[in-house]
Amino acid sequence: MQKLTIVIPAYNEQEVLASSVQRLLGIEDRIAADNYLDQRADILVVDDGSTDQTWTIIEQLHKANSRVRGLRFSRNFGHQNALIAGMREAVQTAAVVVTIDADLQDDPEKIADMVKLYADGKDIVYGVRNNRDTDTWFKRTTAQMYYGMLGKLGVDLIPNHADFRLMSKRAVETFLQYSERNIFIRGLIPRLGFATAKVFYKRTPRMAGESKYPLKKMLAFAWDGITSLTIAPVRFILILGTFACLLAVGMSIYTVFSKVLGLAVHGWSSLMISLWFMGGLQMVSLGIIGEYVGKLTTEVKHRPRYTVQSKLD
Ligand code: UDP
Ligand code: MG
């Protein structure tokens, strides 16, 4: 049986959720008419511990239409965990899963194109924005720099793709084997292999409500991306250390010459410079190592990623 499940992570989305789900149901009618799949699709909303009316809205939507399902976390576990929970739940019954944000900034009309590509044999279809006009200058620039840097560090990322994508059941199941707790989904999917494709779309501004990614959350997310996908910062320590050593050699030569020339007493400045430099270097290095040790600690604990409080099937 070929069923599509659309997974929507939702955190305090009372302003947009009902209309988003209605719109998706309409789109689903059209997808059903295309006949690529032999079963009607359903929508799974994962409430990531919302503190507003989000869950009540999901319950109402479910009552009105049993093809709307819900999963409720006991607290906020974050966007990435909500996506994983949704995918895990969806593949119990679905042959293909699409993930999309609750605010429908990513063009939901493209889901039909994604399904067509799936029917053509693609396992992963990436939604890719063809512009960043709707972002602020700040977000656009920082995002560009960030993804550019990750690319240089050897992380395989799809430019301008976030978490709007289609995945076949086998792609999702492969992905779910990545059991790490610090997870940056969009950095792992390109590593899965399989046949992939892209659909391009124009991202629109949020219809209502506010972004659920304030700067602090975005920075934490960006940092997680780097440290969970690459050990390049640790290599950077090695380069920095080598550089410091070379500098120290230069300093030593200078000191010896000063001594020979009888100028040794004024060594205070060089002493202070090297002291501060080495101290700073060590602190930076320890900080970076600490980050990975911290990550290791959370990985070995194997804590549950999330806790489901209730479920509407
Ligand atoms: N989201 C979530 N948990 C969080 C933060 C966000 O499930 O802790 C969801 C949110 O409801 C939305 C998606 O992640 O469906 C993306 O968030 P948002 O649209 O606010 O991010 P932006 O588009 O501003 O980057
Ligand atoms: Mg958004």
Side-chain angles (χ1 to χ4, degrees), residues 17-237:
L17 191 60
S19 64
S20 293
V21 168
Q22 289 310 335
R23 184 157 171 221
L24 283 169
L25 285 170
I27 290 168
E28 195 277 322
D29 284 341
R30 273 171 273 146
I31 293 174
D34 286 342
N35 271 324
Y36 292 121
L37 306 169
D38 58 12
Q39 225 184 324
R40 293 302 294 257
D42 54 19
I43 295 175
L44 173 63
V45 188
V46 184
D47 177 358
D48 184 12
S50 299
T51 50
D52 65 356
Q53 292 302 304
T54 298
W55 183 250
T56 315
I57 293 169
I58 298 170
E59 282 177 327
Q60 285 163 359
L61 290 165
H62 173 70
K63 223 180 269 165
N65 187 337
S66 64
R67 282 195 289 128
V68 181
R69 297 152 62 199
L71 203 64
R72 183 190 198 182
F73 283 178
S74 58
R75 64 165 169 85
N76 181 240
F77 283 91
H79 182 198
Q80 304 287 292
N81 285 323
L83 285 170
I84 293 169
M87 286 194 254
R88 176 165 287 142
E89 180 63 30
V91 286
Q92 306 296 321
T93 54
V96 51
V97 178
V98 166
T99 52
I100 188 165
D101 288 352
D103 52 16
L104 300 189
Q105 283 187 272
D106 309 296
D107 187 0
E109 302 289 340
K110 297 292 177 206
I111 297 175
D113 301 348
M114 289 177 158
V115 171
K116 182 174 187 312
L117 285 160
Y118 165 76
D120 289 346
K122 303 294 183 200
D123 279 275
I124 302 171
V125 184
Y126 299 102
V128 177
R129 317 164 51 166
N130 49 24
N131 64 53
R132 278 188 170 267
D133 301 349
T134 55
D135 280 352
T136 59
W137 175 86
F138 176 75
K139 186 152 182 181
R140 196 162 53 227
T141 320
T142 49
Q144 239 159 29
M145 275 162 49
Y146 178 71
Y147 287 110
M149 183 185 72
L150 274 184
K152 285 220 169 64
L153 295 178
V155 178
D156 194 10
L157 281 168
I158 311 292
N160 294 327
H161 161 71
D163 287 308
F164 177 36
R165 79 177 77 77
L166 171 147
M167 288 170 82
S168 67
K169 184 183 168 89
R170 66 177 176 184
V172 173
E173 282 172 344
T174 311
F175 166 69
L176 291 174
Q177 288 168 12
Y178 286 69
S179 60
E180 60 221 65
R181 292 302 181 265
N182 297 289
I183 203 157
F184 191 75
I185 301 176
R186 67 192 75 161
L188 287 179
I189 306 288
R191 298 185 186 198
L192 301 181
F194 297 116
T196 65
K198 291 176 187 165
V199 296
F200 293 89
Y201 66 96
K202 190 169 178 315
R203 190 168 151 116
T204 51
R206 189 177 248 279
M207 290 182 288
E210 278 171 4
S211 170
K212 306 302 177 291
Y213 266 104
L215 188 63
K216 199 171 148 214
K217 230 175 190 169
M218 217 162 76
L219 287 176
F221 183 57
W223 185 235
D224 261 355
I226 298 174
T227 52
S228 67
L229 292 171
T230 164
I231 58 159
V234 179
R235 289 205 191 105
F236 184 66
I237 299 178

